Amino acid sequence: MFDEAELAVLRRAYARQVTFLGNARNALERAYADVPREAYLGPGPWPILRWPGYTLTPDADPAWLYSDILVGILPERHLNNGQPSAHALWISAAAPSTGEHVVHVGAGVGYFSAIMAHMVGSSGAVTAIEYDPQLANRAAANLAQSPNVQVVQGDGSVTPFAPADVIYVNAGASRPAAAWLDGLKEGGRLILPLTTAQNFAGPLEFLRLSGAVFRITRRGGDYDADFVGPIKVFPCEGTRDEASEQALAAAFEKGGHRDVKRLRRTDDVADEECWVKATGWSLTYH
């Protein structure tokens, strides 16, 4: 077993590696180095995802957790603590900073909620929302010593929250929830994963794009949109409908997601201006 001094070195190396891979440094690197991943994943050995299944670590040494790996939190449902470098990319795009309020939808066991709580500091706050009661209970226990974090069990698409500087969604939606767009402060950022019904179907789906993360930034009554990166993620309860899924599937098939510039809360837009359009919303090129 590695002792605490050795683990501290491992955490620093891990933080530098995953934030480099996620094109992020500074405050986020410090958060990855300071927040102990093993404190959120329960007692080891831990199930590590190696397609098509999981492999247990040889023992309960936390050193096994300090690489860019997926760790099962409910492996029987293929639910994992997310890939650290991917979260580094998305958190960097959200750019939580000191004193801000972050709403984390799909908080899981709370590890990435803790990362963002570290970034906003004691003057900031994190509202961690988790749909699954078992995971919400684990997150509440894991974050009990974090006074700037509130854990809420519920549907993240409708659960009320105070106005947010950052809304960080960790599940695949087929459309943006009205509560997320309404809940952003001026200049607030929504990290929005949009996925098709096939996105979580299996490893071969990595061969074709079926999910993308967009950063949505509120500018008064308008919403800028920027492509952040691809994603494969568990579906988000409350934010899926067949018409939007079909529209997304067609949009991914045609391409052009990197050119998206704006989210509009209407479908009254010419087809040629849209990357995707479904009832009540669209992502457009202008």
Side-chain angles (χ1 to χ4, degrees):
M1 297 281 284
F2 281 52
D3 63 28
E4 188 55 38
E6 291 170 320
L7 282 174
V9 174
L10 275 180
R11 289 188 192 110
R12 290 198 300 272
Y14 156 83
R16 177 156 294 191
Q17 176 199 38
V18 299
T19 54
F20 166 73
L21 293 173
N23 195 30
R25 295 293 297 276
N26 301 324
L28 184 55
E29 182 179 336
R30 290 192 295 273
Y32 269 101
D34 289 348
V35 176
R37 197 178 188 191
E38 66 273 17
Y40 296 84
L41 297 178
W46 298 277
I48 306 302
L49 182 61
R50 299 181 64 186
W51 292 107
Y54 293 87
T55 301
L56 282 177
T57 58
D59 52 46
D61 189 340
W64 297 112
L65 301 176
Y66 289 104
S67 59
D68 196 26
I69 54 174
L70 291 164
V71 182
I73 53 176
L74 288 178
E76 67 278 9
R77 294 176 53 196
H78 302 288
L79 280 172
N80 307 302
N81 182 242
Q83 186 172 22
S85 64
H87 279 273
L89 175 66
W90 307 327
I91 294 173
S92 178
S97 61
T98 302
E100 291 193 321
H101 176 212
V102 175
V103 175
H104 185 185
V105 176
V109 293
Y111 174 61
F112 294 105
S113 301
I115 295 286
M116 291 185 284
H118 187 289
M119 296 177 74
V120 301
S122 59
S123 62
V126 173
T127 302
I129 305 173
E130 174 52 49
Y131 182 83
D132 184 276
Q134 180 182 348
L135 293 179
N137 287 337
R138 289 174 63 181
N142 290 338
L143 294 161
Q145 303 305 312
S146 300
N148 63 339
V149 182
Q150 177 190 17
V151 178
V152 180
Q153 190 276 316
D155 181 342
S157 69
V158 295
T159 297
F161 53 81
D165 300 284
V166 171
I167 302 175
Y168 188 74
V169 180
N170 273 168
S174 66
R175 54 178 170 78
W180 302 339
L181 300 176
D182 293 338
L184 283 176
K185 295 180 183 180
E186 173 66 19
R189 291 83 65 200
L190 164 65
I191 299 301
L192 176 64
L194 291 175
T195 64
T196 72
Q198 295 301 311
N199 181 256
F200 202 67
L204 291 179
E205 282 301 315
F206 276 121
L207 301 177
R208 56 187 298 179
L209 187 64
S210 59
V213 177
F214 294 91
R215 176 180 56 201
I216 310 300
T217 306
R218 185 168 193 168
R219 309 290 186 195
D222 295 329
Y223 298 86
D224 294 342
D226 302 283
F227 172 72
V228 177
I231 192 170
K232 182 179 175 65
V233 69
F234 200 80
C236 184
E237 296 289 342
T239 60
R240 306 203 65 84
D241 67 76
E242 185 175 352
S244 291
E245 289 187 4
Q246 291 178 355
L248 280 170
F252 283 121
E253 188 68 26
K254 75 176 181 182
H257 53 280
R258 295 179 180 274
D259 299 321
V260 164
K261 298 293 186 230
R262 187 176 175 192
L263 183 147
R264 302 195 191 191
R265 301 183 73 170
T266 179
D267 55 5
D268 187 18
V269 185
D271 290 349
E272 60 270 20
E273 295 183 28
C274 299
W275 175 67
V276 65
K277 178 170 70 171
T279 303
W281 71 283
S282 54
L283 284 172
T284 67
Y285 300 122
H286 304 287

mmCIF file of all heavy atoms in Angstrom, residues 11-37:
data_model
loop_
_atom_site.group_PDB
_atom_site.id
_atom_site.type_symbol
_atom_site.label_atom_id
_atom_site.label_comp_id
_atom_site.label_asym_id
_atom_site.label_seq_id
_atom_site.Cartn_x
_atom_site.Cartn_y
_atom_site.Cartn_z
ATOM 1 N N ARG A 11 -1.194 11.887 -6.694
ATOM 2 C CA ARG A 11 -2.303 12.784 -7.011
ATOM 3 C C ARG A 11 -1.833 13.973 -7.831
ATOM 4 O O ARG A 11 -2.515 14.408 -8.757
ATOM 5 C CB ARG A 11 -2.992 13.265 -5.722
ATOM 6 C CG ARG A 11 -3.784 12.192 -5.004
ATOM 7 C CD ARG A 11 -4.588 12.793 -3.846
ATOM 8 N NE ARG A 11 -5.116 11.719 -3.011
ATOM 9 C CZ ARG A 11 -4.703 11.446 -1.776
ATOM 10 N NH1 ARG A 11 -3.743 12.182 -1.217
ATOM 11 N NH2 ARG A 11 -5.246 10.451 -1.098
ATOM 12 N N ARG A 12 -0.671 14.509 -7.501
ATOM 13 C CA ARG A 12 -0.153 15.644 -8.269
ATOM 14 C C ARG A 12 0.169 15.236 -9.699
ATOM 15 O O ARG A 12 -0.113 15.977 -10.653
ATOM 16 C CB ARG A 12 1.084 16.229 -7.585
ATOM 17 C CG ARG A 12 0.779 16.960 -6.281
ATOM 18 C CD ARG A 12 1.920 17.884 -5.875
ATOM 19 N NE ARG A 12 3.173 17.156 -5.671
ATOM 20 C CZ ARG A 12 3.547 16.608 -4.519
ATOM 21 N NH1 ARG A 12 2.744 16.676 -3.464
ATOM 22 N NH2 ARG A 12 4.709 15.993 -4.402
ATOM 23 N N ALA A 13 0.768 14.057 -9.861
ATOM 24 C CA ALA A 13 1.086 13.579 -11.212
ATOM 25 C C ALA A 13 -0.186 13.297 -12.002
ATOM 26 O O ALA A 13 -0.285 13.633 -13.196
ATOM 27 C CB ALA A 13 1.943 12.317 -11.119
ATOM 28 N N TYR A 14 -1.157 12.660 -11.349
ATOM 29 C CA TYR A 14 -2.474 12.387 -11.963
ATOM 30 C C TYR A 14 -3.142 13.689 -12.394
ATOM 31 O O TYR A 14 -3.647 13.816 -13.517
ATOM 32 C CB TYR A 14 -3.318 11.628 -10.937
ATOM 33 C CG TYR A 14 -4.809 11.704 -11.046
ATOM 34 C CD1 TYR A 14 -5.515 10.880 -11.926
ATOM 35 C CD2 TYR A 14 -5.542 12.548 -10.204
ATOM 36 C CE1 TYR A 14 -6.899 10.916 -11.983
ATOM 37 C CE2 TYR A 14 -6.922 12.581 -10.242
ATOM 38 C CZ TYR A 14 -7.601 11.765 -11.137
ATOM 39 O OH TYR A 14 -8.982 11.796 -11.178
ATOM 40 N N ALA A 15 -3.150 14.691 -11.505
ATOM 41 C CA ALA A 15 -3.787 15.965 -11.809
ATOM 42 C C ALA A 15 -3.140 16.628 -13.011
ATOM 43 O O ALA A 15 -3.820 17.165 -13.898
ATOM 44 C CB ALA A 15 -3.708 16.885 -10.588
ATOM 45 N N ARG A 16 -1.817 16.577 -13.069
ATOM 46 C CA ARG A 16 -1.119 17.195 -14.203
ATOM 47 C C ARG A 16 -1.438 16.452 -15.501
ATOM 48 O O ARG A 16 -1.666 17.062 -16.545
ATOM 49 C CB ARG A 16 0.387 17.203 -13.943
ATOM 50 C CG ARG A 16 1.198 17.761 -15.096
ATOM 51 C CD ARG A 16 2.534 18.281 -14.652
ATOM 52 N NE ARG A 16 2.394 19.447 -13.792
ATOM 53 C CZ ARG A 16 3.422 20.221 -13.431
ATOM 54 N NH1 ARG A 16 4.637 19.945 -13.857
ATOM 55 N NH2 ARG A 16 3.240 21.265 -12.655
ATOM 56 N N GLN A 17 -1.466 15.128 -15.433
ATOM 57 C CA GLN A 17 -1.738 14.334 -16.633
ATOM 58 C C GLN A 17 -3.141 14.585 -17.166
ATOM 59 O O GLN A 17 -3.324 14.882 -18.346
ATOM 60 C CB GLN A 17 -1.576 12.845 -16.323
ATOM 61 C CG GLN A 17 -1.936 11.950 -17.516
ATOM 62 C CD GLN A 17 -2.228 10.522 -17.107
ATOM 63 O OE1 GLN A 17 -2.823 10.272 -16.067
ATOM 64 N NE2 GLN A 17 -1.817 9.583 -17.935
ATOM 65 N N VAL A 18 -4.164 14.450 -16.298
ATOM 66 C CA VAL A 18 -5.538 14.508 -16.811
ATOM 67 C C VAL A 18 -5.934 15.921 -17.202
ATOM 68 O O VAL A 18 -6.720 16.099 -18.141
ATOM 69 C CB VAL A 18 -6.548 13.886 -15.824
ATOM 70 C CG1 VAL A 18 -6.237 12.411 -15.587
ATOM 71 C CG2 VAL A 18 -6.638 14.652 -14.521
ATOM 72 N N THR A 19 -5.400 16.936 -16.524
ATOM 73 C CA THR A 19 -5.744 18.290 -16.946
ATOM 74 C C THR A 19 -5.013 18.672 -18.233
ATOM 75 O O THR A 19 -5.541 19.435 -19.043
ATOM 76 C CB THR A 19 -5.462 19.320 -15.838
ATOM 77 O OG1 THR A 19 -4.111 19.205 -15.389
ATOM 78 C CG2 THR A 19 -6.404 19.118 -14.665
ATOM 79 N N PHE A 20 -3.819 18.123 -18.443
ATOM 80 C CA PHE A 20 -3.160 18.310 -19.745
ATOM 81 C C PHE A 20 -3.986 17.673 -20.856
ATOM 82 O O PHE A 20 -4.245 18.289 -21.892
ATOM 83 C CB PHE A 20 -1.756 17.705 -19.723
ATOM 84 C CG PHE A 20 -1.149 17.565 -21.093
ATOM 85 C CD1 PHE A 20 -0.702 18.676 -21.786
ATOM 86 C CD2 PHE A 20 -1.062 16.318 -21.705
ATOM 87 C CE1 PHE A 20 -0.145 18.547 -23.066
ATOM 88 C CE2 PHE A 20 -0.521 16.182 -22.973
ATOM 89 C CZ PHE A 20 -0.066 17.300 -23.659
ATOM 90 N N LEU A 21 -4.439 16.432 -20.645
ATOM 91 C CA LEU A 21 -5.248 15.754 -21.658
ATOM 92 C C LEU A 21 -6.569 16.477 -21.892
ATOM 93 O O LEU A 21 -7.128 16.443 -22.989
ATOM 94 C CB LEU A 21 -5.505 14.307 -21.239
ATOM 95 C CG LEU A 21 -4.281 13.384 -21.208
ATOM 96 C CD1 LEU A 21 -4.646 12.034 -20.620
ATOM 97 C CD2 LEU A 21 -3.693 13.218 -22.608
ATOM 98 N N GLY A 22 -7.090 17.116 -20.849
ATOM 99 C CA GLY A 22 -8.331 17.874 -20.969
ATOM 100 C C GLY A 22 -8.137 19.330 -21.311
ATOM 101 O O GLY A 22 -9.087 20.113 -21.258
ATOM 102 N N ASN A 23 -6.896 19.701 -21.654
ATOM 103 C CA ASN A 23 -6.580 21.068 -22.085
ATOM 104 C C ASN A 23 -6.931 22.086 -20.999
ATOM 105 O O ASN A 23 -7.514 23.132 -21.266
ATOM 106 C CB ASN A 23 -7.313 21.412 -23.389
ATOM 107 C CG ASN A 23 -6.737 22.647 -24.064
ATOM 108 O OD1 ASN A 23 -5.551 22.926 -23.940
ATOM 109 N ND2 ASN A 23 -7.576 23.383 -24.764
ATOM 110 N N ALA A 24 -6.596 21.751 -19.752
ATOM 111 C CA ALA A 24 -6.916 22.632 -18.620
ATOM 112 C C ALA A 24 -5.777 22.573 -17.613
ATOM 113 O O ALA A 24 -5.133 21.543 -17.456
ATOM 114 C CB ALA A 24 -8.213 22.184 -17.961
ATOM 115 N N ARG A 25 -5.561 23.680 -16.886
ATOM 116 C CA ARG A 25 -4.503 23.689 -15.870
ATOM 117 C C ARG A 25 -4.943 24.564 -14.702
ATOM 118 O O ARG A 25 -6.118 24.826 -14.488
ATOM 119 C CB ARG A 25 -3.186 24.216 -16.474
ATOM 120 C CG ARG A 25 -2.579 23.343 -17.564
ATOM 121 C CD ARG A 25 -2.082 21.987 -17.064
ATOM 122 N NE ARG A 25 -1.011 22.098 -16.108
ATOM 123 C CZ ARG A 25 0.272 22.229 -16.425
ATOM 124 N NH1 ARG A 25 0.644 22.275 -17.689
ATOM 125 N NH2 ARG A 25 1.203 22.294 -15.494
ATOM 126 N N ASN A 26 -3.985 25.026 -13.922
ATOM 127 C CA ASN A 26 -4.147 26.001 -12.854
ATOM 128 C C ASN A 26 -5.137 25.547 -11.787
ATOM 129 O O ASN A 26 -4.909 24.548 -11.130
ATOM 130 C CB ASN A 26 -4.504 27.371 -13.445
ATOM 131 C CG ASN A 26 -3.423 27.866 -14.399
ATOM 132 O OD1 ASN A 26 -2.237 27.632 -14.165
ATOM 133 N ND2 ASN A 26 -3.818 28.512 -15.475
ATOM 134 N N ALA A 27 -6.270 26.271 -11.602
ATOM 135 C CA ALA A 27 -7.192 25.972 -10.503
ATOM 136 C C ALA A 27 -7.740 24.561 -10.604
ATOM 137 O O ALA A 27 -7.917 23.881 -9.591
ATOM 138 C CB ALA A 27 -8.326 26.985 -10.480
ATOM 139 N N LEU A 28 -8.013 24.099 -11.802
ATOM 140 C CA LEU A 28 -8.549 22.756 -11.962
ATOM 141 C C LEU A 28 -7.488 21.706 -11.623
ATOM 142 O O LEU A 28 -7.789 20.690 -10.986
ATOM 143 C CB LEU A 28 -9.068 22.561 -13.387
ATOM 144 C CG LEU A 28 -9.752 21.231 -13.690
ATOM 145 C CD1 LEU A 28 -10.899 20.961 -12.723
ATOM 146 C CD2 LEU A 28 -10.265 21.214 -15.129
ATOM 147 N N GLU A 29 -6.254 21.940 -12.018
ATOM 148 C CA GLU A 29 -5.175 21.007 -11.666
ATOM 149 C C GLU A 29 -5.016 20.918 -10.146
ATOM 150 O O GLU A 29 -4.858 19.827 -9.595
ATOM 151 C CB GLU A 29 -3.866 21.444 -12.308
ATOM 152 C CG GLU A 29 -2.720 20.486 -12.017
ATOM 153 C CD GLU A 29 -1.415 20.891 -12.679
ATOM 154 O OE1 GLU A 29 -1.452 21.603 -13.700
ATOM 155 O OE2 GLU A 29 -0.346 20.488 -12.164
ATOM 156 N N ARG A 30 -5.101 22.051 -9.465
ATOM 157 C CA ARG A 30 -4.995 22.032 -8.004
ATOM 158 C C ARG A 30 -6.142 21.251 -7.376
ATOM 159 O O ARG A 30 -5.949 20.510 -6.406
ATOM 160 C CB ARG A 30 -4.964 23.465 -7.465
ATOM 161 C CG ARG A 30 -3.689 24.221 -7.795
ATOM 162 C CD ARG A 30 -3.570 25.498 -7.008
ATOM 163 N NE ARG A 30 -4.621 26.465 -7.356
ATOM 164 C CZ ARG A 30 -4.524 27.332 -8.358
ATOM 165 N NH1 ARG A 30 -3.436 27.359 -9.122
ATOM 166 N NH2 ARG A 30 -5.491 28.185 -8.600
ATOM 167 N N ALA A 31 -7.333 21.394 -7.934
ATOM 168 C CA ALA A 31 -8.486 20.676 -7.389
ATOM 169 C C ALA A 31 -8.327 19.171 -7.564
ATOM 170 O O ALA A 31 -8.577 18.388 -6.632
ATOM 171 C CB ALA A 31 -9.770 21.157 -8.063
ATOM 172 N N TYR A 32 -7.888 18.729 -8.734
ATOM 173 C CA TYR A 32 -7.655 17.302 -8.963
ATOM 174 C C TYR A 32 -6.581 16.764 -8.021
ATOM 175 O O TYR A 32 -6.663 15.621 -7.571
ATOM 176 C CB TYR A 32 -7.248 17.051 -10.412
ATOM 177 C CG TYR A 32 -8.381 16.768 -11.366
ATOM 178 C CD1 TYR A 32 -8.875 17.749 -12.222
ATOM 179 C CD2 TYR A 32 -8.959 15.503 -11.440
ATOM 180 C CE1 TYR A 32 -9.902 17.494 -13.106
ATOM 181 C CE2 TYR A 32 -9.988 15.230 -12.325
ATOM 182 C CZ TYR A 32 -10.460 16.234 -13.156
ATOM 183 O OH TYR A 32 -11.481 15.964 -14.033
ATOM 184 N N ALA A 33 -5.580 17.575 -7.732
ATOM 185 C CA ALA A 33 -4.504 17.124 -6.848
ATOM 186 C C ALA A 33 -4.945 17.055 -5.394
ATOM 187 O O ALA A 33 -4.481 16.194 -4.639
ATOM 188 C CB ALA A 33 -3.298 18.056 -6.987
ATOM 189 N N ASP A 34 -5.863 17.939 -5.000
ATOM 190 C CA ASP A 34 -6.229 18.052 -3.583
ATOM 191 C C ASP A 34 -7.395 17.159 -3.179
ATOM 192 O O ASP A 34 -7.520 16.817 -1.993
ATOM 193 C CB ASP A 34 -6.576 19.502 -3.245
ATOM 194 C CG ASP A 34 -5.360 20.414 -3.248
ATOM 195 O OD1 ASP A 34 -4.230 19.895 -3.280
ATOM 196 O OD2 ASP A 34 -5.548 21.648 -3.240
ATOM 197 N N VAL A 35 -8.287 16.812 -4.117
ATOM 198 C CA VAL A 35 -9.488 16.028 -3.771
ATOM 199 C C VAL A 35 -9.167 14.541 -3.921
ATOM 200 O O VAL A 35 -8.872 14.072 -5.029
ATOM 201 C CB VAL A 35 -10.677 16.415 -4.670
ATOM 202 C CG1 VAL A 35 -11.886 15.514 -4.372
ATOM 203 C CG2 VAL A 35 -11.049 17.887 -4.457
ATOM 204 N N PRO A 36 -9.202 13.764 -2.841
ATOM 205 C CA PRO A 36 -8.845 12.335 -2.929
ATOM 206 C C PRO A 36 -9.956 11.505 -3.582
ATOM 207 O O PRO A 36 -11.059 11.388 -3.043
ATOM 208 C CB PRO A 36 -8.653 11.941 -1.454
ATOM 209 C CG PRO A 36 -9.509 12.898 -0.696
ATOM 210 C CD PRO A 36 -9.517 14.182 -1.470
ATOM 211 N N ARG A 37 -9.680 10.945 -4.721
ATOM 212 C CA ARG A 37 -10.701 10.203 -5.468
ATOM 213 C C ARG A 37 -11.240 9.014 -4.673
ATOM 214 O O ARG A 37 -12.438 8.710 -4.739
ATOM 215 C CB ARG A 37 -10.110 9.730 -6.811
ATOM 216 C CG ARG A 37 -11.156 9.319 -7.838
ATOM 217 C CD ARG A 37 -10.526 8.907 -9.154
ATOM 218 N NE ARG A 37 -11.540 8.685 -10.191
ATOM 219 C CZ ARG A 37 -11.314 8.124 -11.368
ATOM 220 N NH1 ARG A 37 -10.082 7.734 -11.679
ATOM 221 N NH2 ARG A 37 -12.300 7.960 -12.236
#
